[in-house]
Amino acid sequence: ASCVQHRLVVRDASSLQIRQLYTCLDQIQYLEWSSDSLFILCAMYKRGIVQVWSLEQPDWHCKIDEGSAGLVASCWSPDGRHILNTTEFHLRITVWSLCTKSVSYIKYPKACQQGVAFTKDGRYMAVAERRDCKDFISIFVCSNWQLLRHFDTETQDLFGIEWAPNGCVLAAWDTCLEYKVLLYSLDGRLLSSYRAYEWPLGIKSIAWSPSSQFLAIGSFDEKVRILNHVTWKKITELDHPATIASKKTIVYKEVEKSPTVDTERLSFPPTRALASSLFSTQSKYEVSQVPVSLQYIKPVADRANPKVGVGMLAFSADNCFLATKNDNIPNAVWIWDIRKLKLSVVLEQLCTIQCFQWDPCQPRLAVCTGSSRVYLWSPAGCVVVQVPGEGDFQIVSLSWHSSGDSMLLLSKDNFCVCYLEREEV
Amino acid sequence: MGDWKTITVPVLSSDSKNILPYTSERKRSPTSMNSQVLRLSLPSSKNMHSFFSAFCTEDNIEQSISYIDRELTTLGFPSIYAESKGKELNLISIINCINELLVLQHKNLRAQEEVEMQHLKLGSDMDHLQNCYAKLKEQLELSKREIVGLQERDRQLQSKNRNLHQLLKNEKDEVQKLQNIISSRATQYNHDMKRKEREYNKLKERLHQLVMNKKDKKLAMEVLNYVGRADGKRGAWRTDKTEARNEEEMYKVLLSDYEQRQKQLLLENAELKKVLQQMKKDIISLLPPQKQKPKERSEEGLVLSDQEEDIGELNKENMWELSCETVREQLTNSIRKQWRMLKNHVEKLDNQVSRGHSGTLNEKDVISREDHELETEKLELEIQQCKEMIKTQQQLLQQQLTCDDDTTLLLQDCYLLEERERLQEEWSLFREQKKNFEKERKSFTEAAIRLGLERKAFEEDRGAWLKHQFLTMTADCKSENVTTPSSDPDIRLMKSASRQRKPPSVLGAPVSAEPCQTSPYIAQNSVASENPAADNMPNLWVESDDKEETE
């Protein structure tokens, strides 16, 4: 599904054929599929309206108007039948039910990055709240929206919460002024708290491993600390230095190939080949010899939210690899082998990395840097894929299909789908 | 000495004063002091004669003689006068005196030489000592200066050290101060933040009230129709029951998670225990000699034996099902003990090895080392021999390969001749063998012919017998049919003729059927039937051909 201005276009994922076309009242700001893929919600924040469309019944429609309360965020509940709207200034979260037309309110939600978290199985929802200058977490049962637990957290200013994939542990972390991670069990007991250091800027990003065994914490000191789920103590620190000296790390460097018009490429009609080779530069990966020094950027000292530290973390689906990005070295993706807790690969790109995402099925990583190429890495090697087409297609973000067969590449105005062929075994 | 003699002999009187110049002449000593002394009294040889004449002239002979006599007597020599008081000179005593004087002169000269030598030696020793002394003084100076320099450096370094310590302390203080500042600022900021937040909350509340008051008339939500729930259930009221159920479910989820984890941990534990057991067994197996020693000690014997028994018990199979503290502790303790014993054992071995290397009087080791060395020597010798052999072989090969062309050709020719001779030998052998084979074949064919003839005869007899039988039978049956004995021979002749004709025809058929190799046999048969003489092979061949042609 994609939206253009105020129109919603639904396409088929394998053929990109247009299936449905809907028109909304205003420019759509946010789009989300329901969990059973039957409904799509379109949120228009300016007007404060959320419209829901059905895929099976194109005539069915639903409109939710927040009125003067305004709308800041909207999302589906895991059962696909409730919509949670966050009103302006985070006054409240309204839970609209599509089945019963009933409304519930959650008061005093916290205005933070990740204030609402659902468990993977969709049973429970954790909401961060703040009353009287104190942080609280409420756990609701999603089936009937009953409050299960309500407890306070020892944080200064709760920044985010995230459930572990097994749904039993909730990680809550503090603002970047304080390095603190609190781990709560499902029934609200504090299992453990972890604090690495006191004064410098703290946590920038957090990721759970898919087996809930590890919690990776990326912080502003350019390190990732991994906690284990048995003792909730740090098992290792992964450092991101600017010079890589270890002989066991492979460094792939993206190198620009000079554009050549070679006659081997007969698959394309010659004119297009000429055009693409003249206007777009080809690039490929080269293995650099260790020691390699990466481009290190020292951040401006007096700005808030400096581009320092580990800003992006992602575990691979098979729990074997962890991909990180150190914002000081914005062109490199660091891939760590979790079984050995060592740095295994570094991908050095030509431009700043915008986004990377692991394939949901295999240990494959797709990286985009804002150029018209998507980069794929797997333990077998890495490859540069050029998006064919005239003109520049600057990929800003990407998203994998849940089967791992195709990938959605988004630029500012366009998107394209990249299909990956499966090897015949 | 020679000089001195030639001068004094003509003049009998010797002047003691002249001794000095002579010695000085003889000894032009290099030393400064001696030369200084002697140069003062160094007359030239030209003045010798003048001296002689200065003392004793023709005028004062007697005076000079008496003077000399006086001198000599004062020196202890006998008088040169004759005993009688006259002015007669005792020549013998004069000569003796002269001799004595000469001897004295020699002695004095020698003594002087020695003294001068010693003088020189002492002088050189002195010089040497003075040099040494000067050098040592210099060294002392140098070392004193060095010491001073080092002391200075030491002082500087110490002062630097102190400075650095001071700096470090200052920095630490600063850090502490800054931390305090930060913490105070942080608390201040927190306080301010809280204040602002409260204000903000108040505003939010106000806004919320306003928003809620201004209830929009229109429905906040319009849906075309209700949508069924995802799981098909109907909505339920919120009651205490549902709350309790929620709690239950939540606890169930937690419990299942914990149970799963516990299962995993149990599995891990079991595996680790197995591994530990295995390790323990291996360690115990590695230490057979050690085990006996502790048992010998009577003091700890009981305790250890108990522990051994415990260990035996622990080794039972159902051990790892027990996971209570004591069992676990026992296991780990026993493993630690065994490991320590193993470590000691290994250390002892290491010591032994190192002692062996350092070559102490540990006989076993020494002997074994000697053996080892002998063996290595033997092996080295063998290697040498092999290498030499290889070298010689290589040389030979090289020679072969890099010979002159002529020699190679000759060699090749030789080889060829050799081969040819060999081949010829083989040919002759082959021919002989062939002949033998032919002979054998001939004999076989003869045997076969004979056999054939015998068979023929046998067949003829058989046929005759059968005929006879038949005839007799028919004769018995038909007594009218007269079979005259005369006809028998006819019949017999006929039969023989027919028989004779038969064999060729009988044999003729096989001739065409069988290959030519057997034809000689058959040809021979036919030949033999007519002409049973054995012929030569070539003749046989010819005849057989003829025979075949005729047939």
Side-chain angles (χ1 to χ4, degrees), chain B residues 321-349:
Chain B
E321 287 173 23
L322 305 163
S323 57
C324 52
E325 274 293 320
T326 46
V327 171
R328 238 185 296 144
E329 270 182 33
Q330 273 178 5
L331 177 61
T332 47
N333 285 340
S334 64
I335 282 186
R336 274 200 209 114
K337 215 189 339 148
Q338 300 292 336
W339 184 251
R340 238 179 285 138
M341 278 160 64
L342 179 69
K343 233 177 45 174
N344 291 338
H345 190 61
V346 169
E347 274 169 17
K348 266 190 224 161
L349 287 172

Side-chain angles (χ1 to χ4, degrees), chain A residues 3 5-6 26-32 41-49 71-72:
Chain A
C3 58
Q5 288 278 323
H6 57 274
D26 197 7
Q27 198 179 35
I28 303 172
Q29 256 108 23
Y30 180 69
L31 188 58
E32 192 178 333
L41 80 79
C42 313
M44 290 140 269
Y45 296 147
K46 280 193 205 151
R47 284 263 224 126
I49 296 175
L71 192 62
V72 167

Side-chain angles (χ1 to χ4, degrees), chain B residues 182-199:
Chain B
I182 289 174
S183 58
S184 67
R185 281 181 89 106
T187 44
Q188 187 65 33
Y189 286 142
N190 283 342
H191 179 77
D192 279 341
M193 275 276 288
K194 287 213 174 101
R195 206 160 30 97
K196 292 226 165 78
E197 223 190 298
R198 275 190 213 109
E199 256 191 67

